[in-house]
Amino acid sequence: MTVHFPFQNTYAALPDGFFARVAPTPVASPRLIKLNRPLAVRLGLDPDRLDSPEGTEILAGVRIPDGAEPIAMAYAGHQFGYFVPQLGDGRAILLGEVIDIDGVRRDIQLKGSGPTPFSRRGDGRAALGPVLREYIVSEAMAALGVPTTRSLAATITGEHVIRETPLPGAVLTRVASSHIRVGTFQYFAARGDTAGIKRLADHAIARHYPQAAQAERPYHALLEGVIARQAELVARWLLVGFIHGVMNTDNTSISGETIDYGPCAFLDHYDPAAVFSSIDEQGRYAYANQPRIALWNLTRLAECLLSLFSDDKDKAIEQAQLILAEFPAKFTAAYQSGLRQKIGLFTQRDGDEVLVQELLDAMAKTQADFTLTFRRLSEAAEDANRDSGVRQHFADPAAYDEWAVRWRQRIGEESQTPAERAAMMRAVNPAFIPRNHRIEAVIQAATGRDDFAPFEELLTVLSRPYEDQPAFSHYAEPPEPDQRVLQTFCGT
């Protein structure tokens, strides 16, 4: 049974300076633990053939499929504000690109598939825990409607990786619109390679922003497009309580997808200053800081494109600043629109931003659960007798009662029925998110007992986040005090 990948590779056709050609390193005894069969079908792949010994070998990096051109991509990046001129794929290898059933080009990449020229003395491998975390969170984000890379498969290698202790090794097969990052542009800019920047920009336009090619100023239009997508993306993060954890420029995709799930986390109780990443000691990438950091990262991209804007550097900087100035308004529009939907408003009126902010302030002050407060508010919108479901999440229920008076007055000014309002709210306020303690429990079961039943069940629940799923209602509950996960860790 031959596994066929209809590769049509374009990035590997770029000059050699864009990547290093390197094959995955074979592993001892690969075992497929999860195949995303619906995603395989969307990619034009045969899931039954992937779920075979040959398919497992491909997904673990033991066998290279026909048509693949394995490469490790070169990029640089600002890591916690400090520039590193050469990073690159140190433990990831891009097998190639396929066109999915919607006509969209997708990268297929192996993470944890062995060392590359960019490994910087690392082993190029991944531990099982981070692989499971990325699989869970990326697929949950997709179900939540947030642009994201996807997970096609997870395999165990049959080998151990050494971190603080020996851990089971694994490989994640990741799918993305592309793996081009802000840091990819920075790689060429740091070398003064204007021709490389132009070649990369032309490739990005052709792949992600074809309309920019028809614009009077294509490279300005490219920056405008990336800014618009990042503004929308970060707004969506905040609306579901997501914290990326490591918003370095090398983790910022120019396609507008969430990429590189390391020490990411979802809020339990609402806290704008929340930080879970063990390596974010200064809170640079705290929940509420994410829009500001996104703009900072986009400014670094703009710096790389200046040579394509104008030969006059001052003029180029002025043009870039005008485009960057669009980000705050674009982010605010997306974020405020999402917040209005979360509290059930169909129209926009003066005072709405204040109304929502008053709720958020009360949630922060009384440590209300972010996800369940909005989900229960959806129920209260349909029936005022269900206010108790919201109140119970506030340490001081009177804080909700005071706010609810103003909220009910505001929703009473609109013509929609309570049922219509509740339906709209339930469609944007999930009941289920990948809570940190649930992910940790899955990882412990898998790494400690080779038990993947909790992993499968959590994936099932998270695949329908906006449905109530009474049989799995316990997955919606916040952690008990002794279950709280206060730190998450990078997977490297």
Side-chain angles (χ1 to χ4, degrees):
M1 181 181 290
T2 301
V3 181
H4 175 62
F5 285 77
F7 287 120
Q8 298 184 26
N9 305 326
T10 60
Y11 203 87
L14 293 171
D16 287 346
F18 282 69
F19 50 78
R21 297 188 185 274
V22 57
T25 302
V27 297
S29 52
R31 172 165 59 102
L32 182 64
I33 56 174
K34 182 62 180 179
L35 175 66
N36 191 335
R37 298 179 73 90
L39 180 57
V41 171
R42 297 201 65 80
L43 294 171
L45 306 176
D46 185 335
D48 290 331
R49 293 189 176 187
L50 281 176
D51 193 2
S52 70
E54 180 189 347
T56 298
E57 289 186 343
I58 290 172
L59 296 170
V62 174
R63 180 193 298 255
I64 300 175
D66 291 342
E69 298 182 71
I71 59 174
M73 295 172 63
Y75 51 84
H78 276 89
Q79 299 193 315
F80 291 89
Y82 297 97
F83 186 62
V84 182
Q86 179 168 303
L87 294 167
D89 288 331
R91 61 189 182 105
I93 294 176
L94 175 62
L95 290 182
E97 305 158 16
V98 299
I99 309 298
D100 70 14
I101 61 174
D102 297 318
V104 178
R105 185 176 298 274
R106 304 287 185 189
D107 282 358
I108 297 181
Q109 182 196 66
L110 302 181
K111 289 187 68 177
S113 52
T116 78
F118 305 110
S119 294
R120 295 179 295 170
R121 299 187 299 278
D123 60 11
R125 294 301 189 187
L128 177 59
V131 165
L132 296 181
R133 175 180 290 276
E134 178 154 354
Y135 196 113
I136 292 166
V137 181
S138 63
E139 288 307 297
M141 291 283 269
L144 288 165
V146 181
T148 180
T149 58
R150 300 289 303 276
S151 294
L152 176 61
T155 57
I156 288 182
T157 63
E159 301 173 350
H160 281 87
V161 297
I162 305 301
R163 297 301 182 254
E164 287 79 9
T165 60
L167 297 169
V171 176
L172 177 78
T173 306
R174 181 164 74 181
V175 177
S177 294
S178 83
H179 287 82
I180 303 171
R181 311 149 187 271
V182 171
T184 317
F185 284 88
Q186 290 181 294
Y187 179 82
F188 295 100
R191 287 154 180 75
D193 186 354
T194 303
I197 295 171
K198 184 178 186 305
R199 188 72 177 265
L200 180 62
D202 290 341
H203 179 86
I205 288 171
R207 183 159 184 175
H208 295 298
Y209 301 93
Q211 70 282 3
Q214 310 304 318
E216 182 179 348
R217 301 188 299 183
Y219 304 116
H220 296 70
L222 170 62
L223 180 60
E224 290 170 352
V226 177
I227 285 173
R229 290 191 190 178
Q230 282 292 322
E232 177 73 24
L233 176 65
V234 176
R236 292 193 183 194
W237 288 358
L238 268 61
L239 292 168
V240 295
F242 176 74
I243 307 171
H244 185 282
V246 193
M247 284 182 69
N248 297 330
T249 57
D250 56 292
N251 294 337
T252 303
S253 167
I254 62 104
S255 70
E257 291 179 327
T258 314
I259 191 170
D260 290 332
Y261 293 93
C264 58
F266 280 75
L267 292 174
D268 289 315
H269 68 268
Y270 177 66
D271 177 7
V275 175
F276 290 90
S277 170
S278 63
I279 56 176
D280 190 5
E281 296 176 356
Q282 305 301 316
R284 176 181 175 87
Y285 301 140
Y287 170 80
N289 283 352
Q290 293 179 120
R292 179 179 62 81
I293 293 297
L295 178 56
W296 194 92
N297 290 346
L298 291 166
T299 303
R300 306 289 78 77
L301 174 62
E303 291 169 350
C304 298
L305 297 175
L306 291 178
S307 62
L308 305 182
F309 281 11
S310 174
D311 293 333
D312 183 332
K313 186 174 182 180
D314 290 339
K315 184 176 181 180
I317 291 173
E318 181 182 356
Q319 293 169 353
Q321 288 174 334
L322 288 173
I323 298 172
L324 289 165
E326 298 174 4
F327 177 86
K330 290 183 182 298
F331 166 77
T332 299
Y335 181 56
Q336 292 298 332
S337 174
L339 285 176
R340 285 194 299 275
Q341 292 180 57
K342 287 179 79 69
I343 67 167
L345 300 182
F346 285 80
T347 59
Q348 180 179 355
R349 299 189 182 183
D350 290 343
D352 288 349
E353 289 187 23
V354 173
L355 181 65
V356 178
Q357 191 58 51
E358 287 174 343
L359 174 61
L360 292 172
D361 290 345
M363 290 168 62
K365 186 176 181 180
T366 63
Q367 296 196 318
D369 186 83
F370 182 82
T371 300
L372 290 185
T373 295
F374 284 107
R375 185 68 178 186
R376 299 296 176 255
L377 194 66
S378 308
E379 300 163 0
E382 188 167 19
D383 182 357
N385 292 323
R386 302 183 74 174
D387 270 353
S388 59
V390 190
R391 296 177 83 250
Q392 68 178 351
H393 293 289
F394 289 73
D396 176 12
Y400 169 72
D401 296 337
E402 294 170 5
W403 179 83
V405 172
R406 296 188 295 277
W407 172 59
R408 292 199 181 281
Q409 180 179 349
R410 173 64 183 88
I411 61 177
E413 297 170 358
E414 297 186 331
S415 60
Q416 285 75 20
T417 65
E420 289 171 335
R421 190 175 312 283
M424 187 264 282
M425 293 173 70
R426 279 193 289 266
V428 298
N429 292 323
F432 301 96
I433 57 167
R435 292 186 182 269
N436 309 323
H437 69 296
R438 291 291 181 186
I439 295 174
E440 290 302 318
V442 162
I443 291 172
Q444 290 300 319
T447 58
R449 307 190 302 273
D450 197 38
D451 179 4
F452 291 92
F455 172 63
E456 291 285 356
E457 184 167 276
L458 183 58
L459 286 176
T460 297
V461 173
L462 296 175
S463 69
R464 295 181 292 141
Y466 297 104
E467 299 178 22
D468 284 329
Q469 304 185 67
F472 298 114
S473 59
H474 54 290
Y475 277 96
E477 295 303 317
E480 296 295 331
D482 63 339
Q483 296 177 313
R484 290 176 182 167
V485 174
L486 302 179
Q487 279 195 323
T488 50
F489 299 88
C490 196
T492 48

